[in-house]
Amino acid sequence: MLEVLSTRELAPVERLDYWNDLIASTYTGMVVDAPRDRFDARLTVWQMGTLRMVRPYSRAAVISRHAERHTRPTDQALVAHLLTRGSARLEQRGRSVDLVEGDMVLCAAEEFYRFDTKATHEMMVVEFDRRTLAERVPGIDDFVARRISGQLPSTRLAHRYMSSLWQEASETLPGAHWQMHAGILGDIIASCIEGSREVAEAPGHALLSRAEAVIRERIGDAGLTPSAVAMEIGVPLRTLQAAAASAGTTPSALIMRRRLQRAAKRLLSEPGASVTSIALESGFADSAHFARRFQQHFGATPSHYRRMN
């Protein structure tokens, strides 16, 4: 069954209070903090067999959930969050992890956690009984509040599979069929977690982190190339390419992804800035190339993306 909840029909000043009442009745201990006059949110809930999938959307907000002290760790639900729009910072178990579009993170549902989003964001969320993932992934608790890169092939596959399931959510199928898909989704999420383990243990992981730091620092430089990144961190280009390949990506893709994410963030946070100026300041040589790559990545032109959000 598919259920859609939204603040869109309410006056802006009423939306945040309505949303907090609604969320608290569904998720014990959850609170949303946001600018009262600009808040807007939508929540789509789908019960797929024994698995619940949720698709939350909102403008900039801080979402926190207090711990349920009576719940034993072995009884906890584990919740996979796949960020499909925007960026966010998660805090849980003393860890802080920054997420960008395409990344996934696993949370312990009954423990305190906090998502801080600076702009409009959307996620696909699926809640698992802890045993479902623990049986598939040894040491599952080691992966709670750890970033699972959206560049991993398994994470990209999870994104496509979950999106396909949502497109069929309104269709009538026997419950046993949806339950089979729930099992497949559990296997795919487990493969994402295991894939992140392999990346974390790979010799090139630290090297890739250094490369991403250089890219973030020089993202506005149109002359930034994989060779320039490799030179700055002091390794041959082939070494950087091998480290990126171990994470299922390339140095060029890392640079392009970061440019597009920066541009998308500025399109929303600076509504008065022109698309051309944002393109140039995000490291694109011209606005036409930027528009093509942006539409390929986000499925909308920069101007349309800004209007939608």
Side-chain angles (χ1 to χ4, degrees), residues 1 46-53 77 126-129 132 136 174-183 185-186:
M1 186 177 87
W46 179 24
Q47 193 68 38
M48 188 180 72
T50 59
L51 204 64
R52 181 164 63 176
M53 295 181 66
V126 57
E127 184 173 319
F128 294 95
D129 178 278
T132 299
R136 291 169 165 85
H177 290 197
W178 287 129
Q179 192 58 43
M180 285 192 293
H181 284 291
L185 184 56

Short mmCIF file of all heavy atoms in Angstrom, two decimals, residues 1 46-53 77 126-129 132 136 174-183 185-186:
data_model
loop_
_atom_site.label_atom_id
_atom_site.label_comp_id
_atom_site.label_asym_id
_atom_site.label_seq_id
_atom_site.Cartn_x
_atom_site.Cartn_y
_atom_site.Cartn_z
N MET A 1 0.84 -1.19 0.00
CA MET A 1 0.00 0.00 0.00
C MET A 1 0.88 1.24 0.00
O MET A 1 1.85 1.33 0.73
CB MET A 1 -0.91 0.00 1.23
CG MET A 1 -1.92 1.15 1.22
SD MET A 1 -3.03 1.07 2.64
CE MET A 1 -2.06 1.96 3.83
N TRP A 46 5.67 3.13 1.61
CA TRP A 46 5.24 1.96 0.86
C TRP A 46 5.58 0.71 1.66
O TRP A 46 6.73 0.45 1.97
CB TRP A 46 5.94 1.93 -0.49
CG TRP A 46 5.60 0.76 -1.36
CD1 TRP A 46 4.47 -0.01 -1.34
CD2 TRP A 46 6.41 0.22 -2.42
NE1 TRP A 46 4.52 -0.98 -2.29
CE2 TRP A 46 5.69 -0.87 -2.97
CE3 TRP A 46 7.65 0.55 -2.94
CZ2 TRP A 46 6.19 -1.62 -4.03
CZ3 TRP A 46 8.15 -0.20 -3.99
CH2 TRP A 46 7.42 -1.27 -4.54
N GLN A 47 4.56 -0.05 1.99
CA GLN A 47 4.76 -1.32 2.66
C GLN A 47 4.87 -2.40 1.60
O GLN A 47 3.90 -2.75 0.94
CB GLN A 47 3.61 -1.63 3.62
CG GLN A 47 3.88 -2.76 4.59
CD GLN A 47 4.96 -2.40 5.63
OE1 GLN A 47 5.02 -1.28 6.10
NE2 GLN A 47 5.80 -3.37 5.96
N MET A 48 6.08 -2.93 1.41
CA MET A 48 6.36 -3.91 0.37
C MET A 48 6.60 -5.25 1.05
O MET A 48 7.71 -5.54 1.50
CB MET A 48 7.58 -3.48 -0.44
CG MET A 48 7.83 -4.35 -1.67
SD MET A 48 9.29 -3.79 -2.60
CE MET A 48 10.61 -4.28 -1.51
N GLY A 49 5.56 -6.06 1.15
CA GLY A 49 5.68 -7.30 1.92
C GLY A 49 5.92 -6.94 3.37
O GLY A 49 5.19 -6.14 3.96
N THR A 50 6.95 -7.52 3.97
CA THR A 50 7.28 -7.19 5.36
C THR A 50 8.25 -6.03 5.46
O THR A 50 8.65 -5.65 6.56
CB THR A 50 7.91 -8.42 6.05
OG1 THR A 50 9.09 -8.80 5.34
CG2 THR A 50 6.93 -9.58 6.10
N LEU A 51 8.62 -5.46 4.32
CA LEU A 51 9.62 -4.40 4.29
C LEU A 51 8.93 -3.06 4.06
O LEU A 51 8.07 -2.93 3.19
CB LEU A 51 10.60 -4.68 3.14
CG LEU A 51 11.99 -4.07 3.21
CD1 LEU A 51 12.75 -4.64 4.40
CD2 LEU A 51 12.74 -4.36 1.92
N ARG A 52 9.36 -2.05 4.84
CA ARG A 52 8.80 -0.72 4.65
C ARG A 52 9.84 0.17 3.96
O ARG A 52 10.96 0.31 4.42
CB ARG A 52 8.39 -0.08 5.97
CG ARG A 52 7.79 1.31 5.77
CD ARG A 52 7.04 1.81 6.98
NE ARG A 52 7.89 1.97 8.14
CZ ARG A 52 7.49 2.46 9.30
NH1 ARG A 52 6.21 2.80 9.46
NH2 ARG A 52 8.32 2.60 10.31
N MET A 53 9.42 0.75 2.85
CA MET A 53 10.26 1.71 2.13
C MET A 53 9.65 3.10 2.26
O MET A 53 8.43 3.25 2.20
CB MET A 53 10.39 1.33 0.66
CG MET A 53 11.12 0.02 0.43
SD MET A 53 11.27 -0.37 -1.34
CE MET A 53 12.36 0.94 -1.90
N ALA A 77 16.22 -2.20 14.62
CA ALA A 77 16.11 -2.14 13.17
C ALA A 77 17.31 -1.37 12.63
O ALA A 77 17.86 -0.49 13.30
CB ALA A 77 14.81 -1.44 12.77
N VAL A 126 15.04 2.45 3.44
CA VAL A 126 14.45 1.13 3.65
C VAL A 126 14.87 0.61 5.02
O VAL A 126 16.04 0.71 5.40
CB VAL A 126 14.85 0.15 2.51
CG1 VAL A 126 16.34 0.03 2.39
CG2 VAL A 126 14.21 -1.21 2.72
N GLU A 127 13.91 0.12 5.76
CA GLU A 127 14.14 -0.34 7.14
C GLU A 127 14.16 -1.86 7.19
O GLU A 127 13.25 -2.53 6.70
CB GLU A 127 13.05 0.20 8.05
CG GLU A 127 13.25 -0.12 9.52
CD GLU A 127 12.23 0.57 10.41
OE1 GLU A 127 11.93 1.75 10.16
OE2 GLU A 127 11.74 -0.08 11.36
N PHE A 128 15.24 -2.40 7.77
CA PHE A 128 15.42 -3.84 7.87
C PHE A 128 15.40 -4.28 9.32
O PHE A 128 15.93 -3.59 10.19
CB PHE A 128 16.78 -4.26 7.28
CG PHE A 128 16.91 -4.06 5.80
CD1 PHE A 128 17.49 -2.90 5.30
CD2 PHE A 128 16.47 -5.03 4.91
CE1 PHE A 128 17.63 -2.71 3.94
CE2 PHE A 128 16.62 -4.85 3.54
CZ PHE A 128 17.19 -3.68 3.06
N ASP A 129 14.83 -5.45 9.57
CA ASP A 129 15.09 -6.12 10.83
C ASP A 129 16.59 -6.40 10.89
O ASP A 129 17.20 -6.82 9.91
CB ASP A 129 14.30 -7.43 10.88
CG ASP A 129 14.55 -8.21 12.15
OD1 ASP A 129 15.57 -8.91 12.19
OD2 ASP A 129 13.76 -8.10 13.07
N THR A 132 18.13 -9.48 9.39
CA THR A 132 18.13 -9.62 7.93
C THR A 132 19.50 -9.27 7.35
O THR A 132 20.02 -9.97 6.47
CB THR A 132 17.06 -8.71 7.32
OG1 THR A 132 15.78 -9.11 7.81
CG2 THR A 132 17.07 -8.80 5.80
N ARG A 136 23.59 -11.62 6.52
CA ARG A 136 24.26 -11.46 5.24
C ARG A 136 25.65 -10.84 5.37
O ARG A 136 26.52 -11.10 4.53
CB ARG A 136 23.41 -10.57 4.31
CG ARG A 136 22.09 -11.20 3.84
CD ARG A 136 21.24 -10.13 3.16
NE ARG A 136 20.14 -10.67 2.37
CZ ARG A 136 18.95 -10.99 2.87
NH1 ARG A 136 18.74 -10.84 4.18
NH2 ARG A 136 18.00 -11.46 2.08
N PRO A 174 0.74 -10.01 -6.20
CA PRO A 174 0.59 -10.84 -5.01
C PRO A 174 1.64 -10.50 -3.97
O PRO A 174 2.79 -10.18 -4.31
CB PRO A 174 0.77 -12.27 -5.55
CG PRO A 174 0.45 -12.17 -7.01
CD PRO A 174 0.90 -10.80 -7.43
N GLY A 175 1.27 -10.57 -2.70
CA GLY A 175 2.20 -10.24 -1.63
C GLY A 175 3.47 -11.06 -1.69
O GLY A 175 4.56 -10.55 -1.36
N ALA A 176 3.39 -12.30 -2.12
CA ALA A 176 4.57 -13.15 -2.20
C ALA A 176 5.57 -12.62 -3.20
O ALA A 176 6.78 -12.76 -3.02
CB ALA A 176 4.16 -14.58 -2.58
N HIS A 177 5.07 -11.97 -4.26
CA HIS A 177 5.97 -11.40 -5.27
C HIS A 177 6.75 -10.23 -4.69
O HIS A 177 7.96 -10.11 -4.88
CB HIS A 177 5.18 -10.95 -6.50
CG HIS A 177 4.62 -12.09 -7.29
ND1 HIS A 177 4.17 -11.95 -8.58
CD2 HIS A 177 4.46 -13.40 -6.97
CE1 HIS A 177 3.75 -13.12 -9.03
NE2 HIS A 177 3.91 -14.01 -8.07
N TRP A 178 6.02 -9.34 -3.99
CA TRP A 178 6.71 -8.21 -3.37
C TRP A 178 7.71 -8.70 -2.32
O TRP A 178 8.77 -8.11 -2.14
CB TRP A 178 5.71 -7.25 -2.72
CG TRP A 178 4.91 -6.42 -3.69
CD1 TRP A 178 3.56 -6.27 -3.71
CD2 TRP A 178 5.42 -5.62 -4.76
NE1 TRP A 178 3.18 -5.43 -4.73
CE2 TRP A 178 4.31 -5.01 -5.39
CE3 TRP A 178 6.71 -5.37 -5.24
CZ2 TRP A 178 4.46 -4.16 -6.48
CZ3 TRP A 178 6.85 -4.51 -6.33
CH2 TRP A 178 5.74 -3.92 -6.94
N GLN A 179 7.38 -9.78 -1.63
CA GLN A 179 8.28 -10.30 -0.61
C GLN A 179 9.58 -10.82 -1.24
O GLN A 179 10.66 -10.68 -0.67
CB GLN A 179 7.60 -11.42 0.19
CG GLN A 179 8.35 -11.82 1.45
CD GLN A 179 8.56 -10.65 2.39
OE1 GLN A 179 7.67 -9.86 2.62
NE2 GLN A 179 9.77 -10.53 2.93
N MET A 180 9.47 -11.38 -2.44
CA MET A 180 10.68 -11.82 -3.14
C MET A 180 11.56 -10.63 -3.49
O MET A 180 12.78 -10.67 -3.34
CB MET A 180 10.32 -12.61 -4.40
CG MET A 180 9.83 -14.03 -4.10
SD MET A 180 9.73 -15.07 -5.58
CE MET A 180 8.40 -14.28 -6.47
N HIS A 181 10.92 -9.53 -3.93
CA HIS A 181 11.69 -8.32 -4.22
C HIS A 181 12.33 -7.76 -2.96
O HIS A 181 13.44 -7.22 -3.00
CB HIS A 181 10.80 -7.28 -4.89
CG HIS A 181 10.50 -7.57 -6.33
ND1 HIS A 181 11.46 -7.48 -7.31
CD2 HIS A 181 9.35 -7.96 -6.94
CE1 HIS A 181 10.92 -7.80 -8.47
NE2 HIS A 181 9.64 -8.10 -8.28
N ALA A 182 11.63 -7.88 -1.84
CA ALA A 182 12.21 -7.42 -0.57
C ALA A 182 13.48 -8.21 -0.24
O ALA A 182 14.48 -7.65 0.23
CB ALA A 182 11.18 -7.56 0.56
N GLY A 183 13.46 -9.50 -0.53
CA GLY A 183 14.64 -10.33 -0.30
C GLY A 183 15.78 -9.94 -1.22
O GLY A 183 16.95 -9.89 -0.80
N LEU A 185 16.25 -7.00 -2.51
CA LEU A 185 16.76 -5.70 -2.05
C LEU A 185 17.69 -5.87 -0.85
O LEU A 185 18.72 -5.20 -0.76
CB LEU A 185 15.59 -4.78 -1.70
CG LEU A 185 15.97 -3.35 -1.29
CD1 LEU A 185 16.80 -2.68 -2.37
CD2 LEU A 185 14.71 -2.53 -1.01
N GLY A 186 17.35 -6.80 0.04
CA GLY A 186 18.24 -7.07 1.17
C GLY A 186 19.60 -7.55 0.71
O GLY A 186 20.64 -7.13 1.24
#
